Amino acid sequence: MTAQVHEKLILNGKRTSMAFCPPIPDSPEILTRLTDEEVREKMAAGKIDGIIYSTACWRGYIGTWEIKDDKFYLKKIDGAVRLAKKEPIQATWFTGVLRIPQGKELHYVHMGFGSIYERDLLIKIQEGVVVDQKVIDNTDKAKKAENQSIEEQFLESFRNMPGNENHFDGDDM
């Protein structure tokens, strides 16, 4: 599996990304699915990025999220699905920990969200509300990864495979 394109995040008014993809409920109140013809038309018009249909985006969409006033919102979705409403939707369905990479990439992993950055900002969300956060220094983790065999790196990367990509060091905070 290819390294995955990050979800977009607006944090403290600044654009960043998440090495993580929060689940999106398959609900007509939240999502509208485009027909194959609508997808083709939007791709031809440059309104859907082709990366959505590559191995770098197994989920088939890229979400834009925002943390504002300690609440977690889904603002936009690009791909074969769209938000049913124009205004951001508070992600009350989501409880978990967001992983926001910070600093430069120290070790690239060609699978899931396994690449290692200088730091990870972890933000714990409970039913769409921020309840805690912490920063993890990944310097030692990157050094360890550099000394692993390809097989060990591959096994470590399974934690970032589809359906398990939301589990990483610190998500038990």
Side-chain angles (χ1 to χ4, degrees):
M1 178 169 163
T2 309
Q4 294 298 292
V5 64
H6 290 194
E7 291 282 89
K8 298 174 184 178
L9 177 67
I10 301 167
L11 179 63
N12 301 322
K14 296 179 183 173
R15 293 190 178 273
T16 187
S17 69
M18 294 188 287
F20 175 80
C21 53
I24 297 173
D26 190 12
S27 161
E29 292 84 34
I30 295 174
L31 298 179
T32 300
R33 297 204 177 277
L34 302 179
T35 65
D36 289 343
E37 184 176 329
E38 289 172 320
V39 169
R40 282 191 293 277
E41 289 172 3
K42 289 188 181 294
M43 284 187 75
K47 294 182 179 179
I48 294 180
D49 188 335
I51 199 166
I52 302 277
Y53 297 100
S54 76
T55 58
C57 191
W58 60 263
R59 61 194 179 276
Y61 66 84
I62 298 174
T64 300
W65 303 79
E66 183 174 24
I67 294 178
K68 187 175 183 178
D69 299 326
D70 287 330
K71 293 186 177 134
F72 186 50
Y73 295 93
L74 177 58
K75 288 189 66 142
K76 180 180 174 187
I77 303 176
D78 292 315
V81 293
R82 293 283 191 255
L83 286 181
K85 301 175 183 175
K86 293 200 184 271
E87 65 271 1
I89 300 167
Q90 186 179 355
T92 56
W93 64 85
F94 178 70
T95 294
V97 179
L98 309 177
R99 177 178 167 235
I100 298 102
Q102 297 181 325
K104 69 179 185 172
E105 185 178 89
L106 299 176
H107 183 75
Y108 173 76
V109 177
H110 192 67
M111 187 175 286
F113 295 105
S115 293
I116 301 169
Y117 296 80
E118 290 179 309
R119 295 170 307 284
D120 284 327
L121 170 60
L122 303 179
I123 300 177
K124 187 173 187 177
I125 307 290
Q126 180 73 39
E127 296 178 351
V129 177
V130 175
V131 295
D132 197 8
Q133 64 181 5
K134 70 179 175 181
V135 175
I136 295 190
D137 182 326
N138 291 322
T139 315
D140 290 339
K141 186 176 180 183
K143 288 177 186 172
K144 177 185 170 195
E146 288 173 5
N147 294 321
Q148 287 180 321
S149 68
I150 296 297
E151 293 82 12
E152 290 171 319
Q153 288 182 34
F154 182 75
L155 291 171
E156 181 76 14
S157 295
F158 269 102
R159 295 184 318 142
N160 294 297
M161 294 294 281
N164 199 35
E165 71 283 352
N166 300 337
H167 301 282
F168 44 85
D169 293 340
D171 68 355
D172 57 350
M173 63 184 271

